[in-house]
Amino acid sequence: DVKVTQSSRYLVKRTGEKVFLECVQDMDHENMFWYRQDPGLGLRLIYFSYDVKMKEKGDIPEGYSVSREKKERFSLILESASTNQTSMYLCASSLMGQKRTQYFGPGTRLLVL
Amino acid sequence: KQEVTQIPAALSVPEGENLVLNCSFTDSAIYNLQWFRQDPGKGLTSLLLIQSSQREQTSGRLNASLDKSSGRSTLYIAASQPGDSATYLCAVRPRANSGGSNYKLTFGKGTLLTVNP
């Protein structure tokens, strides 16, 4: 079974803090994704990566950066957390190729005070 | 820009009922469409994936259909059970040369299903 894990289920941070969200997958997937999910807005893609050190902006990259130094790990970084970044963050991974489904992690619920 | 709409936003049914969830999309240049399930506070689980060349896919009590020309998909759940209670999301993937990144899924906002015992 594919397993996508996220470093924290719940996280509370202060405004202005630097925040790291980590995602690890164990199935050698080329593609990895970061989404945020908000009530009434649904899932929105922040960034994705199609290979080590490669990244592409999604729909809402502002205020975020990402890092993919190893194939199995994709990190989302909030350089200076703000209250409007309070959200549920979901990581996903998939094999290369359009037929491939995305497998999701359990999510990290981030609260920025 | 692709937009995906799911109706209804919420649905409550008694156990045992057959039900249909609807998904519509504005741009028919899709490669495939997926239905996901999300339990409260958790990640998404893929249920069914339909390629644009297919009309339907079945898995157990679930059947998903796709009418690409009209921009519609339905998820049919037979003999619903309380364990089916969750949010159901549909997502479309654009065709490779349709101008958007072909890795990017566009999601609907979901239908919250409650099956009452």
Side-chain angles (χ1 to χ4, degrees):
Chain A
D1 270 1
V2 175
K3 194 160 186 186
V4 180
T5 57
Q6 295 184 228
S7 50
S8 306
R9 292 300 308 276
Y10 301 95
L11 212 50
V12 180
K13 295 292 181 181
R14 297 273 178 202
T15 301
E17 278 192 75
K18 190 168 186 175
V19 182
F20 293 87
L21 302 182
E22 301 269 311
C23 176
V24 177
Q25 49 91 5
D26 66 356
M27 285 301 291
D28 205 34
H29 285 175
E30 293 88 1
N31 300 329
M32 297 188 75
F33 308 81
W34 275 108
Y35 295 88
R36 63 177 282 177
Q37 185 177 32
D38 301 286
L41 296 176
L43 268 86
R44 293 177 292 168
L45 181 66
I46 305 171
Y47 268 99
F48 74 95
S49 168
Y50 49 91
D51 201 351
V52 175
K53 296 191 189 294
M54 305 303 287
K55 62 185 179 185
E56 193 165 318
K57 292 180 180 178
D59 297 317
I60 50 163
E62 297 79 18
Y64 303 93
S65 62
V66 290
S67 171
R68 191 157 181 214
E69 297 296 318
K70 293 185 178 181
K71 192 174 185 180
E72 67 270 18
R73 188 179 298 268
F74 191 35
S75 302
L76 180 70
I77 303 155
L78 288 65
E79 295 289 342
S80 177
S82 63
T83 55
N84 63 13
Q85 292 178 310
T86 290
S87 187
M88 172 73 131
Y89 290 87
L90 292 164
C91 174
S93 72
S94 74
L95 287 167
M96 192 70 75
Q98 286 198 293
K99 286 189 179 182
R100 307 298 188 174
T101 191
Q102 291 184 16
Y103 294 88
F104 282 78
T108 295
R109 189 166 293 282
L110 172 67
L111 173 62
V112 182
L113 300 173
Chain B
K1 182 186 172 186
Q2 178 74 272
E3 291 183 7
V4 179
T5 303
Q6 292 188 244
I7 294 173
L11 181 64
S12 181
V13 301
E15 183 177 2
E17 193 161 295
N18 301 327
L19 59 100
V20 173
L21 307 180
N22 296 294
C23 172
S24 61
F25 47 95
T26 54
D27 186 349
S28 62
I30 66 168
Y31 190 84
N32 59 39
L33 182 145
Q34 270 187 275
W35 283 93
F36 291 88
R37 170 187 171 134
Q38 185 176 29
D39 291 295
K42 301 207 174 161
L44 279 66
T45 301
S46 179
L47 297 173
L48 291 164
L49 185 152
I50 313 177
Q51 301 298 336
S52 62
S53 58
Q54 296 176 316
R55 298 285 291 186
E56 64 180 87
Q57 280 284 339
T58 298
S59 176
R61 293 182 295 109
L62 305 180
N63 176 278
S65 68
L66 174 64
D67 184 344
K68 199 176 64 162
S69 60
S70 69
R72 293 173 190 269
S73 176
T74 61
L75 179 67
Y76 174 83
I77 302 177
S80 59
Q81 302 170 359
D84 294 330
S85 298
T87 297
Y88 291 80
L89 297 106
C90 71
V92 298
R93 184 189 298 279
R95 203 176 278 287
N97 59 353
S98 62
S101 168
N102 57 21
Y103 294 116
K104 198 172 83 168
L105 298 179
T106 301
F107 285 84
K109 293 186 173 62
T111 295
L112 174 61
L113 173 66
T114 304
V115 180
N116 301 299

